[in-house]
Amino acid sequence: MATIDSKLGINDQNFCYDFNRVSDEDFKKNFNYEMYLINQLPINYLRLGTQLYPNLVDSSGNYKLDRLDYAVSTALNAGFKVIMPFFAYSVTNMNYVDEMGALKNLILNVIKRYSGKGIVYEAINEAQNGGGYWFEQDFESSRADIITLNEFYANSVWEYDPTAKFIAGDFPWVNDLSSYNKINESISDGILKMPRATSASYHPYIPGKPELMLEDYRHQDLIQQIKKEGLQVSATEFGFASMVDSKYIADYGYAGYFAGTYDSETQSKYLIRQTLLMDMQGFDKIILFTGNNTDRPWTIVPNIWDSGAWNESTKYHLTAPGQAFKSFFECLIGYEFLRREESDSDIYALRYVSSGKSDLIVAWSTNNKRKKIYNDGNNTLVLSGMPQIFVASENFTTNFWNGVNFTQLDVSSSFSNFNNSIASNFAIFDRGFNDICMGLKNNFGLSISTQSFDLSIPEYRDTRTWVNRNFSIARLKLSRLENIFNQYTFLSIDKDMLTAETPEMQLEFNAKLVDDVNAFFENANVEFDAFAEKINSLIEED
């Protein structure tokens, strides 16, 4: 297994590479701005695709690839590994046969041009979609051509660049049944049997919570088919589209929102969760879509024109989901996935390890209606939809707090049993109270010091005094918890939680904690009132 940061990457492909539409100066401003922010991410790959453009070859037969040269050299100098797919987009005033020939020539020129640079080449992008993704041709009538061009591409990599690698597939998303069927047809045609291929890729966009990819047979079937060919599985595009201002919706239409739209909080936690889930499944490359600032629904780089004209002396920030992604995975640099710990089905607790360092547990809950406290014997964590990271204890166990549920008082036999059952109920309360306090302390540094319960069984004549003393201690515990929690809530509301240093994901976690502590107050007070009434009535009867 590889460390998770060695697998991560981001896409960056947009219309600014087209010299027919954008000046060299604007291209460099745009690319430099994107790279300024991409460089902040804890990632290893930059996916830079290319395509045919009108006037791509000058009168002397030379290719106008200065912009691609600039992007590739900038990425390599920044320490990124470059992934390069080709896009089979149609070009005006060229027929299908000529377009096929022109793309072959471009592929060959690029491979020779960057030979020795260790480029990771990737198959023709989403060819199984047909239409705009394959020279405006129908997929069924183009199946043989898709295989032929990909074979030419893979063989050229093999022949002209011994330092390069090749990723087969480059399949579109599988949630659409039509796309899934076309992918299977391509596999039967031999699309995964490309020479020198070390892995195969697809684009696991999910219309909903990321965990659906574990439940959907189409995702799991494709992953298994890739592995049966002896290839590793890569995700070279994935993401969750954000909601954008209504004035931009017409610019993107269905293409921008085919997998749904999400607020920034949901986008943040879903991006992180799907990344972790793909790492858990052994994906060897996990490439986020996108760093292209012009693709407003999908980008984690704010639009350059919204941010103001690019200025190297200005400090820019990623979007809230981008900052959440950055901050989270910086904590896992050098760590690799080991296993998923045993837990309830709606809890994910993943153990990460790094030589010479303490193991980490990354945990989250997928059940929005059932908030949980997760205890590994050393730490207590309030779980929500946003994954949290904590240091694992040596002996990993799970313990979920589900409220203060007092047992029935045992009055059927002896005085000793009766008092023992009273003591056991105070102990039940104490466990729930201590779990809440530990969560506040470990996550926010908020400490609560209170007197301990007296759980030693008294003499018969001292029962009422003993019970009343413990009730007073319990009320004091609740009062101090309420006071410090109210103070914390006030401070957290007053504090600016949306800075680059404190990403938006923290808000969602705080809200869960508020709900849990309030539920504890309500539950404990109701149970204590009933408990006190029962004890008093029994003592009076006695």
Side-chain angles (χ1 to χ4, degrees):
M1 294 288 285
T3 62
I4 188 167
D5 52 295
S6 71
K7 301 180 177 186
L8 301 181
I10 195 167
N11 282 265
D12 188 62
Q13 162 74 12
N14 60 50
F15 66 85
C16 291
Y17 287 83
D18 185 354
F19 49 82
N20 299 288
R21 300 173 61 186
V22 179
S23 69
D24 286 341
E25 181 182 4
D26 284 343
F27 162 75
K28 285 190 175 181
K29 284 182 178 179
N30 187 80
F31 186 78
N32 289 343
Y33 165 73
E34 289 172 346
M35 286 300 295
Y36 169 85
L37 290 167
I38 287 171
N39 272 319
Q40 298 177 20
L41 297 169
I43 62 174
N44 191 31
Y45 293 100
L46 189 62
R47 186 174 185 248
L48 296 170
T50 192
Q51 65 189 79
L52 294 172
Y53 294 111
N55 308 310
L56 183 61
V57 183
D58 65 21
S59 57
S60 301
N62 297 315
Y63 281 81
K64 301 176 184 177
L65 293 174
D66 293 351
R67 297 185 184 187
L68 188 62
D69 291 342
Y70 183 80
V72 169
S73 63
T74 301
L76 293 175
N77 289 337
F80 294 118
K81 295 177 181 178
V82 172
I83 298 175
M84 189 173 297
F86 285 82
F87 296 80
Y89 297 149
S90 189
V91 180
T92 306
N93 299 326
M94 289 184 74
N95 62 44
Y96 175 49
V97 173
D98 289 342
E99 285 176 328
M100 283 273 292
L103 188 55
K104 276 187 176 182
N105 290 335
L106 174 61
I107 288 170
L108 191 59
N109 184 281
V110 168
I111 293 170
K112 291 180 178 180
R113 192 182 195 93
Y114 301 131
S115 180
K117 296 186 180 296
I119 305 297
V120 181
Y121 290 99
E122 186 181 12
I124 310 300
N125 183 77
E126 296 191 356
Q128 291 72 28
N129 277 333
Y133 290 86
W134 186 259
F135 302 119
E136 300 298 336
Q137 303 297 307
D138 174 73
F139 168 75
E140 290 298 335
S141 63
S142 306
R143 286 172 60 177
D145 290 339
I146 290 172
I147 298 298
T148 299
L149 185 54
N150 274 285
E151 285 179 339
F152 169 83
Y153 180 7
N155 280 316
S156 296
V157 172
W158 177 267
E159 183 176 357
Y160 294 106
D161 190 354
T163 69
K165 294 182 179 180
F166 186 79
I167 303 174
D170 205 345
F171 299 128
W173 79 322
V174 299
N175 288 77
D176 179 82
L177 186 57
S178 175
S179 292
Y180 174 69
N181 290 336
K182 291 173 183 177
I183 290 169
N184 281 311
E185 289 176 3
S186 253
I187 291 174
S188 68
D189 292 338
I191 197 71
L192 294 179
K193 299 183 183 298
M194 295 292 126
R196 206 179 179 182
T198 56
S199 63
S201 62
Y202 84 112
H203 301 161
Y205 292 102
I206 309 292
K209 65 179 184 178
E211 292 74 20
L212 291 173
M213 77 176 300
L214 303 180
E215 305 166 10
D216 192 311
Y217 73 93
R218 290 165 291 199
H219 286 273
Q220 295 307 308
D221 176 61
L222 179 56
I223 289 170
Q224 291 308 311
Q225 288 194 71
I226 291 172
K227 289 182 176 180
K228 284 179 182 177
E229 293 292 336
L231 302 173
Q232 294 182 299
V233 184
S234 296
T236 50
E237 288 184 23
F238 79 100
F240 297 87
S242 63
M243 301 172 183
V244 297
D245 191 289
S246 58
K247 67 183 179 180
Y248 300 118
I249 290 177
D251 296 338
Y252 300 100
Y254 174 77
Y257 303 107
F258 65 90
T261 58
Y262 305 86
D263 59 48
S264 61
E265 179 183 325
T266 302
Q267 193 181 18
S268 298
K269 62 187 179 184
Y270 279 12
L271 283 174
I272 293 171
R273 276 160 53 178
Q274 188 173 0
T275 301
L276 292 167
L277 290 170
M278 290 189 287
D279 189 35
M280 182 183 79
Q281 295 176 88
F283 282 47
D284 77 321
K285 297 177 184 65
I286 303 170
I287 314 301
L288 178 66
F289 190 82
T290 178
N292 168 15
N293 81 92
T294 66
D295 195 341
R296 293 176 188 269
W298 296 92
T299 186
I300 64 169
V301 173
N303 185 270
I304 188 171
W305 308 116
D306 294 344
S307 301
W310 164 243
N311 184 328
E312 293 184 11
S313 63
T314 301
K315 184 176 181 179
Y316 298 91
H317 298 287
L318 296 161
T319 63
Q323 180 61 39
F325 187 91
K326 168 186 179 292
S327 299
F328 187 90
F329 287 105
E330 281 177 341
C331 298
L332 290 178
I333 291 175
Y335 279 85
E336 60 182 281
F337 171 78
L338 179 64
R339 64 174 179 265
R340 181 181 176 185
E341 301 290 348
E342 291 186 10
S343 61
D344 285 7
S345 60
D346 57 358
I347 291 291
Y348 286 81
L350 312 184
R351 182 179 287 266
Y352 276 81
V353 296
S354 181
S355 178
K357 298 180 181 179
S358 298
D359 292 3
L360 299 178
I361 297 294
V362 180
W364 71 94
S365 171
T366 61
N367 190 340
N368 293 328
K369 296 181 180 179
R370 186 184 175 199
K371 305 175 184 70
K372 294 184 174 181
I373 287 183
Y374 194 82
N375 191 316
D376 76 334
N378 184 46
N379 298 281
T380 298
L381 196 73
V382 180
L383 294 186
S384 69
M386 174 59 75
Q388 303 294 321
I389 302 172
F390 61 104
V391 177
S393 66
E394 186 173 346
N395 299 313
F396 192 88
T397 59
T398 60
N399 177 36
F400 303 117
W401 175 74
N402 288 308
V404 182
N405 299 308
F406 290 149
T407 61
Q408 292 295 313
L409 292 172
D410 184 357
V411 297
S412 61
S413 52
S414 67
F415 155 78
S416 177
N417 286 342
F418 173 59
N419 277 358
N420 276 327
S421 65
I422 292 176
S424 70
N425 280 293
F426 282 121
I428 290 170
F429 167 84
D430 222 18
R431 284 196 295 273
F433 176 83
N434 289 335
D435 275 345
I436 289 289
C437 290
M438 191 178 294
L440 288 170
K441 182 177 180 179
N442 288 345
N443 292 293
F444 302 104
L446 302 176
S447 297
I448 301 174
S449 176
T450 62
Q451 184 179 353
S452 299
F453 285 120
D454 175 9
L455 300 181
S456 58
I457 305 302
E459 297 291 333
Y460 174 78
R461 64 180 179 276
D462 296 328
T463 296
R464 180 180 291 279
T465 302
W466 172 68
V467 169
N468 286 340
R469 182 167 65 250
N470 280 328
F471 270 127
S472 296
I473 293 171
R475 297 299 183 193
L476 179 61
K477 286 175 181 286
L478 286 174
S479 175
R480 289 191 176 173
L481 177 60
E482 186 174 19
N483 286 339
I484 197 167
F485 188 71
N486 285 342
Q487 179 186 11
Y488 161 73
T489 304
F490 172 77
L491 290 173
S492 67
I493 292 172
D494 186 61
K495 183 180 178 182
D496 177 14
M497 302 293 288
L498 295 175
T499 64
E501 290 73 27
T502 309
E504 183 178 352
M505 62 180 180
Q506 191 70 28
L507 283 177
E508 198 255 358
F509 177 64
N510 292 344
K512 299 293 187 187
L513 186 63
V514 171
D515 290 345
D516 267 300
V517 177
N518 285 335
F520 179 86
F521 286 143
E522 294 175 7
N523 181 211
N525 279 307
V526 168
E527 289 284 347
F528 255 107
D529 288 343
F531 185 37
E533 183 179 352
K534 183 66 173 176
I535 290 177
N536 286 330
S537 67
L538 289 170
I539 293 176
E540 290 294 333
E541 289 172 5
D542 184 74

Coordinates of all heavy atoms in Angstrom, one line a residue, residues 56 78 128 130 136 150 167 210 286 353 371 375 396 417 431 456 463 514 532 540:
L56 N -3.7 24.1 -35.1 CA -2.8 23.6 -34.2 C -1.4 23.3 -34.8 O -0.4 23.4 -34.2 CB -3.3 22.2 -33.6 CG -2.4 21.5 -32.6 CD1 -2.3 22.4 -31.3 CD2 -3.0 20.2 -32.2
A78 N 7.3 22.0 -10.0 CA 6.7 22.2 -8.7 C 6.7 20.8 -7.9 O 6.2 20.8 -6.8 CB 5.2 22.7 -8.8
Q128 N -16.4 6.3 -24.3 CA -17.6 5.5 -24.3 C -18.9 6.4 -24.3 O -20.0 5.9 -24.6 CB -17.6 4.5 -23.1 CG -16.6 3.4 -23.2 CD -15.2 3.9 -23.0 OE1 -14.9 4.9 -22.3 NE2 -14.2 3.2 -23.6
G130 N -19.4 8.6 -26.4 CA -19.7 9.0 -27.8 C -20.0 10.4 -27.9 O -19.7 11.2 -27.1
E136 N -18.1 13.6 -32.2 CA -19.5 13.8 -32.5 C -20.1 12.5 -33.2 O -21.0 12.6 -34.0 CB -19.8 15.0 -33.4 CG -19.4 16.3 -32.8 CD -20.2 16.6 -31.5 OE1 -21.3 16.1 -31.3 OE2 -19.6 17.4 -30.7
N150 N -6.8 3.8 -29.2 CA -6.2 3.5 -27.9 C -5.0 2.6 -28.0 O -4.0 2.8 -27.3 CB -7.2 3.0 -26.9 CG -8.0 4.1 -26.2 OD1 -7.5 4.8 -25.3 ND2 -9.2 4.3 -26.6
I167 N -2.3 4.5 -18.5 CA -3.5 4.2 -17.8 C -4.6 3.8 -18.8 O -4.9 4.7 -19.6 CB -4.0 5.3 -16.9 CG1 -2.9 5.7 -15.9 CG2 -5.3 4.9 -16.2 CD1 -3.3 7.0 -15.1
P210 N -21.3 9.5 -0.6 CA -20.2 8.7 -1.2 C -20.2 7.2 -0.9 O -19.8 6.4 -1.8 CB -18.9 9.3 -0.5 CG -19.3 10.7 0.0 CD -20.8 10.6 0.3
I286 N -6.1 9.0 -7.0 CA -7.4 9.6 -6.6 C -7.3 11.1 -7.0 O -6.7 11.9 -6.3 CB -7.6 9.4 -5.1 CG1 -7.6 7.9 -4.8 CG2 -9.0 10.0 -4.7 CD1 -7.6 7.6 -3.3
V353 N -1.7 4.1 9.3 CA -0.4 3.9 10.0 C 0.7 4.6 9.3 O 0.7 4.8 8.1 CB -0.1 2.4 10.1 CG1 -1.1 1.7 11.0 CG2 0.0 1.7 8.7
K371 N -26.9 10.4 16.2 CA -25.6 11.0 16.6 C -25.0 10.1 17.6 O -25.6 9.6 18.5 CB -25.8 12.4 17.1 CG -26.6 13.3 16.1 CD -26.8 14.7 16.7 CE -27.6 15.5 15.8 NZ -29.0 15.0 15.7
N375 N -15.8 5.9 21.2 CA -14.8 5.8 22.2 C -13.9 4.6 21.9 O -14.3 3.5 21.7 CB -15.4 5.6 23.6 CG -14.5 5.8 24.7 OD1 -13.3 5.3 24.6 ND2 -14.9 6.5 25.7
F396 N -8.0 -1.2 20.7 CA -9.1 -0.5 20.1 C -10.4 -1.2 20.4 O -10.6 -2.3 20.1 CB -8.9 -0.4 18.6 CG -9.9 0.6 17.9 CD1 -9.5 1.9 17.8 CD2 -11.1 0.1 17.5 CE1 -10.4 2.8 17.2 CE2 -12.0 1.0 16.9 CZ -11.6 2.4 16.7
N417 N -29.7 -5.3 48.0 CA -30.0 -5.2 46.5 C -30.6 -3.9 46.1 O -30.3 -3.4 45.1 CB -30.9 -6.4 46.1 CG -30.1 -7.7 46.1 OD1 -28.9 -7.8 46.1 ND2 -30.9 -8.8 46.2
R431 N -21.2 7.4 33.7 CA -20.5 7.0 32.5 C -20.9 7.9 31.3 O -20.1 8.3 30.5 CB -20.8 5.5 32.2 CG -20.1 4.5 33.0 CD -20.1 3.1 32.4 NE -21.5 2.6 32.4 CZ -22.0 1.9 33.4 NH1 -21.3 1.7 34.5 NH2 -23.2 1.4 33.3
S456 N -20.4 3.8 47.7 CA -20.3 2.8 48.8 C -21.7 2.7 49.5 O -22.4 3.6 49.8 CB -19.3 3.2 49.8 OG -19.6 4.5 50.4
T463 N -29.7 5.7 54.4 CA -30.0 5.6 52.9 C -30.5 7.0 52.4 O -30.0 7.4 51.3 CB -31.1 4.6 52.7 OG1 -30.6 3.3 53.0 CG2 -31.6 4.6 51.3
V514 N -23.4 20.3 20.0 CA -24.5 21.0 20.7 C -25.7 20.1 20.8 O -26.3 20.0 21.9 CB -24.9 22.3 19.9 CG1 -26.1 22.9 20.5 CG2 -23.7 23.3 19.9
A532 N -35.7 10.0 41.1 CA -35.9 10.6 42.5 C -37.3 10.3 43.0 O -37.4 10.0 44.2 CB -35.6 12.1 42.4
E540 N -40.4 6.3 51.4 CA -41.5 6.7 52.2 C -42.3 5.5 52.6 O -42.8 5.3 53.7 CB -42.4 7.7 51.5 CG -41.8 9.1 51.3 CD -41.6 9.8 52.7 OE1 -42.4 9.5 53.6 OE2 -40.7 10.6 52.8

